[in-house]
Amino acid sequence: MSIICATNFSDAALRASALAAELARKTGEPLRLVHVLNPNSARAFGRALTDAAEAALADQTKRLEKSGAKVERVLLTGEPAEAVEAAAREQKASLVVTAAPSDEAPFLSVGGTVDRLAQALTVPLLVVRDAAPLEAWARGERPLKVMLGVDRSLPFEAAREWVKGLRRWGAVEVVGARVYWPEEEYPRLGLPLPPAFGDITAELRQAVEQETAALMAPLASGGQAPRVVAHAGVGRIADHLVDLAAREGADLLVVGTHHRRALGRLWSVSHHAVRLARMSVACVPSMVAPSVADVTLPVFREVLVATDFSETGNRAVAHACGLVPEGGTVHLVHVLEGRVKPEQEAELKQQLLAVVPKAAQAGGRRVQVEVLAHGRDVVTTLVQAAERLRVDALVMGTHGRSGLKRAVLGSVAQEVLLRTDRPVLVVRPPRG
């Protein structure tokens, strides 16, 4: 493993390389200082250009070695982003460090070397704007203030794991920032729309904040949960995220990247964050996520189970109770078409409680019952409830016996599998 720093010998590149050397010293990894010659210039100027580049690399290497880092200089020829990406792959680099694009770069650096690196690297890319706070952190002089962009995606999980790894080298203060579009969140969570467009209800704000806190929970340290900020936005997420990072005084903005191509980059958060942020930015690709052998074992503390009071549906309740540990919660629901009258709801809740195994209650599990009303789509009602309750898994029977209008099971289970990204346990009826 090694750290690679790409340099073009500019003042910004010199500052970025100094930070890279501090990080290399801190982690004990070798630093490879890379400069890439333009092929046309190399052909035109020949040995004179190569000798000048070698001399500049040697001079910079000698200066960086004073920090105590082990530095190796590498001179390559080719397209810069491709050459650096190939070097990172061949050397199994853990990090690539580069200076941020110049403010004078045409088209705000769209299509430039840093932009292409952010979309091509399979290792984290650290784009350095203000190196001083990161150098001070590497020297153990102060904590690093990090803002982590939060969403429900594999790149976010990779970025979260990378931020967790930073704590091996020094104190890190993390703030999780979630930018969301209310018009998407209301239907996803099954919450009623506000009377005026753009209004944010307290129920929506609380639901998004709680979901964001749950996504950031693995970064809790010393029993202290990281702080989260949930911001309702319009337009590009990156613009809001960069603004939030500036308000928080973050030294480093960390975002996951999907490696979007072509038109997909128009809504790429990492693409715009690298260009627009006034602080250093780390782009973490999904490939950095822990391997299957290293992932944390999931714990099902919150489970949703639906029953239509058929034998198969009621059997699913026992399986749901068996999934959660002591202190866990089972959300037991029944879906009913149309509006539910208060007396009808009370009666159905008693029926739901009656199908909870006694062993589950004795085992310290909490069971919360709820009657959900739906219009024409049972599946949407169940998926929205799962999102709203932020459950770790859903439990469904394979079919129901109450007729198509009230069916919660059977083909509904298959539709739920297709429309949720949460784990689903399907309970089959016994043979015979």
Side-chain angles (χ1 to χ4, degrees):
M1 302 290 282
S2 63
I3 294 175
I4 286 181
C5 180
T7 181
N8 60 1
F9 307 121
S10 65
D11 289 342
L14 292 175
R15 289 191 293 271
S17 64
L19 169 62
E22 284 292 342
L23 294 175
R25 179 191 60 78
K26 187 81 171 179
T27 61
E29 296 181 8
L31 172 64
R32 289 184 167 85
L33 188 65
V34 177
H35 178 70
V36 184
L37 292 174
N38 180 285
N40 294 329
S41 299
R43 282 192 295 269
F45 296 99
R47 191 67 192 174
L49 179 63
T50 303
D51 289 346
E54 287 281 10
L57 274 175
D59 181 66
Q60 192 168 342
T61 298
K62 188 179 298 183
R63 180 176 57 83
L64 295 176
E65 286 177 334
K66 293 179 180 179
S67 68
K70 180 181 178 182
V71 186
E72 174 187 340
R73 59 182 186 269
V74 181
L75 182 62
L76 303 172
T77 302
E79 194 285 316
E82 292 178 1
V84 172
E85 190 276 331
R89 194 170 0 97
E90 292 167 6
Q91 299 296 332
K92 294 182 173 57
S94 61
L95 178 68
V96 173
V97 180
T98 184
S102 167
D103 291 337
E104 288 75 35
F107 307 108
L108 292 175
S109 75
V110 172
T113 299
V114 176
D115 188 21
R116 293 197 299 275
L117 278 174
Q119 301 302 320
L121 287 171
T122 56
V123 299
L125 171 68
L126 176 57
V127 182
V128 181
R129 279 197 167 85
D130 184 2
L134 283 86
E135 286 182 324
W137 168 74
R139 291 192 295 264
E141 297 171 359
R142 51 158 290 181
L144 184 67
K145 297 180 180 178
V146 174
M147 173 163 282
L148 173 59
V150 181
D151 64 11
R152 287 176 54 194
S153 69
L154 184 59
F156 161 69
E157 292 181 9
R160 183 179 63 192
E161 195 68 19
W162 188 75
V163 170
K164 187 188 296 184
L166 291 179
R167 288 178 169 159
R168 297 196 303 268
W169 316 117
V172 178
E173 299 174 359
V174 187
V175 177
R178 171 90 171 269
V179 178
Y180 64 96
W181 294 321
E183 289 69 28
E184 285 188 353
E185 296 301 314
Y186 282 115
R188 179 178 75 87
L189 297 169
L191 298 175
L193 292 170
F197 178 80
D199 283 356
I200 311 299
T201 64
E203 193 175 8
L204 175 63
R205 183 178 291 107
Q206 182 182 28
V208 174
E209 288 176 352
Q210 289 177 344
E211 185 177 60
T212 305
L215 290 168
M216 289 291 292
L219 289 176
S221 178
Q224 185 72 29
R227 190 162 60 86
V228 299
V229 177
H231 176 76
V234 177
R236 289 189 314 208
I237 291 176
D239 296 85
H240 297 286
L241 197 59
V242 166
D243 184 54
L244 288 172
R247 288 190 215 171
E248 291 289 334
D251 305 318
L252 178 66
L253 172 61
V254 181
V255 293
T257 176
H258 293 269
H259 282 171
R260 289 196 167 103
R261 304 289 182 180
L263 291 178
R265 294 168 71 184
L266 292 176
W267 56 84
S268 167
V269 174
S270 60
H271 169 70
H272 294 295
V274 166
R275 299 188 307 108
L276 303 175
R278 307 319 303 167
M279 69 288 299
S280 299
V281 177
C283 297
V284 184
S286 57
M287 299 78 165
V288 180
S291 65
V292 175
D294 296 327
V295 297
T296 303
L297 295 179
V299 178
F300 300 105
R301 299 191 180 280
E302 304 270 343
V303 171
L304 173 70
V305 58
T307 181
D308 63 349
F309 300 117
S310 67
E311 181 182 353
T312 304
N314 293 342
R315 288 176 62 88
V317 178
H319 284 78
C321 293
L323 273 183
V324 299
E326 183 177 347
T329 302
V330 175
H331 299 275
L332 174 55
V333 303
H334 175 71
V335 182
L336 194 66
E337 183 178 2
R339 293 196 173 191
V340 184
K341 297 179 180 179
E343 60 273 15
Q344 186 182 21
E345 182 179 9
E347 181 181 346
L348 288 170
K349 284 185 175 181
Q350 288 302 316
Q351 287 183 251
L352 287 170
L353 289 172
V355 301
V356 178
K358 294 179 180 178
Q361 297 172 325
R365 298 168 183 83
R366 293 186 297 272
V367 179
Q368 296 182 355
V369 297
E370 185 175 357
V371 179
L372 304 174
H374 79 91
R376 297 180 179 178
D377 191 347
V378 175
V379 175
T380 297
T381 302
L382 288 173
V383 171
Q384 288 175 336
E387 293 296 310
R388 189 168 60 252
L389 296 168
R390 303 181 306 281
V391 297
D392 302 309
L394 297 87
V395 181
M396 307 284 296
T398 57
H399 64 273
R401 304 297 188 187
S402 301
L404 291 177
K405 287 187 177 181
R406 292 166 59 94
V408 177
L409 308 175
S411 61
V412 173
Q414 184 177 2
E415 287 297 317
V416 169
L417 278 167
L418 296 173
R419 291 174 55 180
T420 183
D421 57 1
R422 299 177 187 274
V424 179
L425 173 63
V426 178
V427 181
R428 296 178 60 86
R431 292 184 179 181

